[in-house]
Amino acid sequence: MLEMTVKKFFLITLFLSCNFIGDNKRSSPELKYAGAEPAFDFSKDQVWANVKQPLSLLDLRGKVVLLHFWKYTSINCIHTLAELKRLENKWKKELVVIGIHSPKFPTEKNSDSLKAAIFRNEINHPVLNDVDFTYLRQYNISSWPSFVLIDPRGVVFGVQVGEGIYEGFDKIISEMSLEFKQAGLMNLSPIPKLEFKNNNSSDSILSFPGKLIVNDKGTELFVSDTNHNRVLRIDTKTKKILDIIGGSDIGFKDGKFLEAKLHHPQGLALDKDYLYIADFDNHSIRVANLKTKTVKTLAGSGEQARSFNVPGRGKEVKFNSPWDIAYNKNKLYITMRGSHQIWTLDLETLEAEVYAGQGSENLFDGKLEIASLAQPTGITKDSVKLYFVDSETSAIRRVGTKSAPLVKTLLGKGLLEFGDIDGLSTTARLQYPMGISYSSGKLYIADTMNHKIKQLDLEKSEITTLAGTGKIGAVNSNLSDSSFFEPTSVAAFEHLVYVADTNNHTIRVIDTLTGTVSNFEFE
């Protein structure tokens, strides 16, 4: 929780030469909520989004400014975006949030990738792409997310690290803005240089599709149309949409398919006439009955869990960003991206509990209760094992579902080990993979940040590129000349591999018999 005085803040160590904006002296004694150190100004040659022109702190004089140091692959940063939106909506005239995007992965540095992430996460404040970590170093930031609060004179008040920032910042912004209003130092007018273009210009019927699965006959495809807050059921032969599950508005409501409301649904699992849905931003597991055409909440209160390893039942339990699901013998195995764990949900008792991972973000194998995972985002299974991707460590891992199961890493070395290298799994590298599907002894992998689809032969322990050049694009061609834009999910059935080509708002189909890639054209 954000403390209420400068003394209780983690004070900033400012270094590196830079132009200062603000008063070059300590806090004014008459202003309790005045800052202590002058803030660093922005460089004019940085790449910005959501602005007409690059900003200076002079442009923001008279506003409370909140710098958000983040990266778009971090689930913790994604969580704080909702809290920031609440603050922005409440303090529309007083507050300006500036996103300082500090990328870890090479693809995150790309301006097109960042722009897509801004649209996907529905960010409506200015974002600066700090590809060289200039501002990260100047403000001595060492973790994501971090926040720097700057008073209306352009002077730093303090730094906060981590999630759960709304209540603390809300109180400080309230008292700071009141104090500066009384001193005649607030500017409540709009900032002319801001230009919000938070929209998706694609003419596709999909908006950032997340996860997809195909039924065991290959006749139906289910797609999470994530930013339209719905799930589509599609006939793979006629290409017709059979069902739309969820209205277009964000919400948390059960009922008939078009009356029910979801919030950025992701993972899907199918058992006969029951489609299970990881309702990501509602932190819940929903079930769609394909016969009665109704949606029901199975587990999850709708609120993000703030404590680790707290089991529960049904709607009483709190989840932390459920992302993908695998069904096995009346149990759901859920990748809990926010807590770096895999959970189980018993479909008879609705009891939910941790299955694997002790909650720290790392790569550590062994018994379920001591293993460490790192943002698991995709999960699949064969007859006896679960396979999942740990995105933050760019790893492929497995765990057994029978007696004495252990977590074992098949590919990947740690938080700072990533790349685009095919070959034996001991030396191969991926870059932030997010999707995985098992079929006939192979794992098909959405190697998201490499813009490729890869396959891992489990018998040979060898990974190869199936499709994609590695360059951002939407080229339909032979396998080696095709291109994708951050694909996040795959579903393999016989010779076909369906791909959620997320930033292209498209479903692609890889045909391994003909060696071609094509769009799945909806009827």
Side-chain angles (χ1 to χ4, degrees), residues 212-237:
L212 52 75
I213 59 171
V214 63
N215 68 359
D216 57 7
K217 295 180 180 179
T219 57
E220 292 183 359
L221 181 69
F222 297 84
V223 179
S224 285
D225 189 8
T226 301
N227 276 49
H228 283 149
N229 305 295
R230 63 185 186 177
V231 176
L232 304 182
R233 180 189 184 190
I234 307 154
D235 187 302
T236 56
K237 292 184 178 180

Side-chain angles (χ1 to χ4, degrees), residues 298-339:
L298 289 181
S301 67
E303 297 179 1
Q304 181 190 349
R306 295 297 184 183
S307 301
F308 283 97
N309 304 334
V310 180
R313 184 176 183 275
K315 296 179 183 179
E316 296 175 359
V317 71
K318 290 187 177 181
F319 291 146
N320 194 335
S321 296
W323 198 265
D324 202 8
I325 316 172
Y327 173 88
N328 187 51
K329 296 180 180 178
N330 217 35
K331 275 190 177 181
L332 297 182
Y333 292 83
I334 308 161
T335 58
M336 210 66 69
R337 184 179 177 187
S339 61

Side-chain angles (χ1 to χ4, degrees), residues 471-477 482-485 501 504 506 508 519:
K471 296 181 179 179
I472 292 174
V475 175
N476 287 316
S477 181
S482 60
S483 58
F484 304 86
F485 191 2
D501 195 6
N504 280 325
T506 307
R508 313 284 289 282
N519 284 0

Side-chain angles (χ1 to χ4, degrees), residues 49-52 115-116 118-120 122-126 194-201:
N50 280 343
V51 297
K52 296 177 183 176
K115 181 179 178 181
I118 290 170
F119 290 163
R120 185 171 65 248
E122 298 165 351
I123 297 171
N124 59 4
H125 56 248
L194 304 188
E195 182 180 45
F196 304 135
K197 292 184 176 181
N198 186 16
N199 57 65
N200 170 22
S201 59

Side-chain angles (χ1 to χ4, degrees), residues 96-320:
V96 175
V97 175
I98 306 289
I100 309 295
H101 185 256
S102 310
K104 168 185 172 180
F105 295 98
T107 291
E108 288 182 288
K109 298 180 181 181
N110 183 281
S111 58
D112 290 333
S113 296
L114 176 58
K115 181 179 178 181
I118 290 170
F119 290 163
R120 185 171 65 248
N121 290 288
E122 298 165 351
I123 297 171
N124 59 4
H125 56 248
V127 176
L128 182 152
N129 200 11
D130 187 21
V131 295
D132 298 321
F133 290 173
T134 300
Y135 302 104
L136 201 76
R137 295 190 182 99
Q138 286 174 340
Y139 285 106
N140 199 26
I141 301 298
S142 59
S143 63
W144 298 282
S146 292
F147 303 86
V148 175
L149 189 67
I150 301 173
D151 76 18
R153 298 174 308 150
V155 183
V156 173
F157 184 72
V159 172
Q160 170 70 10
V161 177
E163 299 181 42
I165 52 97
Y166 176 80
E167 291 182 0
F169 277 127
D170 180 52
K171 189 171 183 180
I172 288 182
I173 293 167
S174 174
E175 299 191 17
M176 180 183 284
S177 59
L178 177 61
E179 186 176 68
F180 277 81
K181 282 177 187 175
Q182 292 172 345
L185 298 174
M186 286 294 293
N187 172 21
L188 301 181
S189 300
I191 305 298
K193 289 184 178 181
L194 304 188
E195 182 180 45
F196 304 135
K197 292 184 176 181
N198 186 16
N199 57 65
N200 170 22
S201 59
S202 169
D203 57 2
S204 171
I205 68 169
L206 302 175
S207 180
F208 296 105
K211 295 297 184 180
L212 52 75
I213 59 171
V214 63
N215 68 359
D216 57 7
K217 295 180 180 179
T219 57
E220 292 183 359
L221 181 69
F222 297 84
V223 179
S224 285
D225 189 8
T226 301
N227 276 49
H228 283 149
N229 305 295
R230 63 185 186 177
V231 176
L232 304 182
R233 180 189 184 190
I234 307 154
D235 187 302
T236 56
K237 292 184 178 180
T238 66
K239 310 296 176 67
K240 290 183 178 179
I241 296 175
L242 304 176
D243 285 310
I244 297 175
I245 304 168
S248 60
D249 295 333
I250 289 173
F252 188 35
K253 179 184 177 183
D254 292 345
K256 295 291 185 180
F257 276 1
L258 293 181
E259 297 172 355
K261 294 188 183 298
L262 311 174
H263 192 180
H264 295 154
Q266 285 288 343
L268 304 170
L270 185 66
D271 176 42
K272 299 175 183 176
D273 292 316
Y274 296 98
L275 177 69
Y276 300 99
I277 304 168
D279 197 2
F280 161 58
D281 267 329
N282 279 324
H283 305 283
S284 65
I285 301 298
R286 320 285 292 275
V287 61
N289 188 317
L290 302 179
K291 281 189 174 180
T292 63
K293 311 291 185 184
T294 56
V295 173
K296 180 181 178 181
T297 301
L298 289 181
S301 67
E303 297 179 1
Q304 181 190 349
R306 295 297 184 183
S307 301
F308 283 97
N309 304 334
V310 180
R313 184 176 183 275
K315 296 179 183 179
E316 296 175 359
V317 71
K318 290 187 177 181
F319 291 146
N320 194 335

